[in-house]
Amino acid sequence: MNETLFKKYNVPVPRYTSYPTANEFEPFDAHRYLKAVETSNDAAADNISFYIHVPFCRHLCHYCGCNSVAMAQPKRIEEYFETLHQEIDLLLPHLRKDRRISQIHYGGGSPSSMPLPLIRGINEHLLSAFSTIDKPEIAIECHPGYLESNDWQYLLDSGFNRFSLGIQDFNTDVLRTVNRRPSLLPVADIMEILRKGGAKVNFDFIYGLPKQTTTEFVSTIQTAISLHPNRLVTFSYAHLPSLFKRQMILEKAGLPLQTEKLKMFEEASKMLQSAGYVPIGMDHFVLPDDDLNVALQHHTLHRNFQAIALAASLRRFTPSVCQASASWMPPMRRTPRIFRPTWRK
Ligand code: SF4
């Protein structure tokens, strides 16, 4: 990799994992929201995907820049899910019933840290309202630090067929420094349960954290490759302490030099490609037969990228995240804004 280019572009930018990026979000009223929802009926006539945001975590990791708050009272969580059910009911009359669900994705926050029957309830609600394509993808982001064998099995039994495991690093010293619990079960055991249940598995890693070295990160990636996930992501740690105060703790713990960070990514990328993974975008790697690679090869991805975000925008909650397809989003504002979850008084 060209170091000059790396330095030029290795600057904080908005997260690219949603479109439009979070700093482009702007307030919207019910009328505008529903108009956008209805427009989606024509923009993506066949399929529909849902993204459910669960903005709660048991503990906040020091590096985190996600839209999440430390686990609220159980009552608050129940209220949040009740509100999601209400929001689904409000949306349904505006969506064409012959659209078939191709994907449901639960992100956060940490959806797998919620009481799992609440997640299952939302899933059943959506699936009872539409038919689905032949093999819809029902995906969930999971924090392996809190899930026992029976929890993984429960999620499989609830219809989940793609699991993103937030491993971040196999080095427990790194995890301790960033206030993140390591996996409760050996990841190999989790893989066995999920594979037996016919699910696909993604691993998420972060490089650029305190206590990480290229040698150690290479060993983490080696372990990951030996477990053969379908997809693997190496996120670059984005250090933005002015927005996320808790990241100051990491600064004190000592962040690796930029050159070391670049080396971590380069080595990981080389190893993954020699193990047969195909690079997608900036930092995603997938097995050649992965749906994402196949869809990109056939230029069909855009058809499935029609998402309605449900984020409990009613009652006591303000919308916490909104992902949507480019085809029906209103013009974006240019003034950067960062949205954080806020409770209405
Ligand atoms: S579990 Fe995930 S969303 Fe929650 S604080 Fe940690 S990194 Fe952020």
Side-chain angles (χ1 to χ4, degrees):
M1 187 183 287
N2 180 318
E3 199 165 332
T4 317
L5 279 180
F6 178 77
K7 279 190 183 138
K8 182 174 174 192
Y9 293 111
N10 188 28
V11 292
V13 291
R15 268 172 183 266
Y16 53 87
T17 44
S18 63
Y19 184 87
T21 50
N23 61 328
E24 302 285 359
F25 292 0
E26 61 177 354
F28 54 86
D29 58 21
H31 172 73
R32 202 161 152 222
Y33 178 46
L34 287 179
K35 193 161 183 321
V37 168
E38 282 163 0
T39 308
S40 78
N41 285 324
D42 303 322
D46 299 338
N47 296 350
I48 187 162
S49 306
F50 290 93
Y51 171 74
I52 314 290
H53 193 76
V54 180
F56 304 112
C57 295
R58 298 236 186 142
H59 300 105
L60 296 182
C61 311
H62 295 330
Y63 59 81
C64 183
C66 292
N67 186 353
S68 188
V69 290
M71 202 103 139
Q73 306 279 343
K75 192 167 173 302
R76 274 271 162 93
I77 290 172
E78 275 166 29
E79 280 176 354
Y80 185 80
F81 278 84
E82 270 167 35
T83 309
L84 275 175
H85 281 289
Q86 286 181 26
E87 186 163 346
I88 293 171
D89 287 336
L90 279 176
L91 270 176
L92 288 180
H94 301 273
L95 289 166
R96 272 199 5 237
K97 293 296 161 306
D98 58 344
R99 293 176 73 179
R100 294 175 307 154
I101 291 181
S102 54
Q103 193 179 42
I104 305 176
H105 186 99
Y106 292 79
S110 191
S112 68
S113 302
M114 299 295 102
L116 298 181
L118 294 179
I119 300 277
R120 185 176 186 147
I122 295 291
N123 224 20
E124 285 173 353
H125 193 164
L126 286 171
L127 289 170
S128 67
F130 296 89
S131 57
T132 65
I133 63 165
D134 184 21
K135 286 181 188 147
E137 183 175 287
I138 316 292
I140 183 163
E141 294 169 13
C142 294
H143 189 326
Y146 299 102
L147 295 167
E148 311 260 11
S149 320
N150 55 337
D151 296 322
W152 294 105
Q153 193 56 51
Y154 183 89
L155 287 166
L156 284 167
D157 296 343
S158 306
F160 286 92
N161 55 20
R162 185 177 285 278
F163 294 78
S164 287
L165 273 55
I167 298 170
Q168 320 311 358
D169 198 310
F170 281 116
N171 183 333
T172 46
D173 206 18
V174 172
L175 295 183
R176 204 173 306 114
T177 310
V178 300
N179 197 35
R180 189 172 174 94
R181 266 200 189 192
S183 183
L184 207 54
L185 298 178
V187 177
D189 292 4
I190 300 173
M191 289 299 274
E192 203 184 319
I193 299 170
L194 296 181
R195 286 271 154 80
K196 218 187 261 173
K200 293 184 175 157
V201 187
N202 307 353
F203 287 176
D204 291 351
F205 294 99
I206 300 187
Y207 63 95
L209 297 174
K211 305 245 167 111
Q212 278 181 328
T213 60
T214 305
T215 317
E216 291 285 327
F217 194 63
V218 158
S219 142
T220 276
I221 298 296
Q222 243 155 13
T223 309
I225 289 171
S226 70
L227 295 166
H228 213 56
N230 299 79
R231 293 180 193 165
L232 191 151
V233 191
T234 53
F235 289 111
S236 162
Y237 165 57
H239 189 57
L240 295 166
S242 55
L243 291 175
F244 308 105
K245 291 272 176 291
R246 58 179 171 260
Q247 291 187 344
M248 287 302 292
I249 301 169
L250 301 192
E251 210 168 294
K252 284 188 194 133
L255 293 166
L257 295 173
Q258 289 297 331
T259 43
E260 181 80 3
K261 202 175 163 189
L262 169 62
K263 231 161 147 224
M264 285 182 216
F265 175 71
E266 276 186 327
E267 291 303 316
S269 174
K270 267 194 259 164
M271 286 167 69
L272 286 161
Q273 290 182 67
S274 18
Y277 283 84
V278 181
I280 304 270
M282 279 190 272
D283 44 22
H284 284 54
F285 298 86
V286 303
L287 290 176
D289 64 350
D290 186 84
D291 306 344
L292 194 57
N293 191 38
V294 175
L296 281 170
Q297 303 267 337
H298 293 92
H299 307 288
T300 55
L301 192 62
H302 66 282
R303 281 197 287 156
N304 282 343
F305 198 60
Q306 187 72 27
I308 304 292
L310 296 174
S313 58
L314 310 170
R315 256 181 25 188
R316 307 166 60 131
F317 302 94
T318 55
S320 49
V321 76
C322 179
Q323 292 189 329
S325 109
S327 54
W328 54 270
M329 276 310 287
M332 292 185 278
R333 54 179 301 126
R334 292 287 136 214
T335 318
R337 294 174 70 111
I338 297 294
F339 279 72
R340 302 242 177 97
T342 49
W343 308 109
R344 275 192 204 133
K345 299 250 161 57

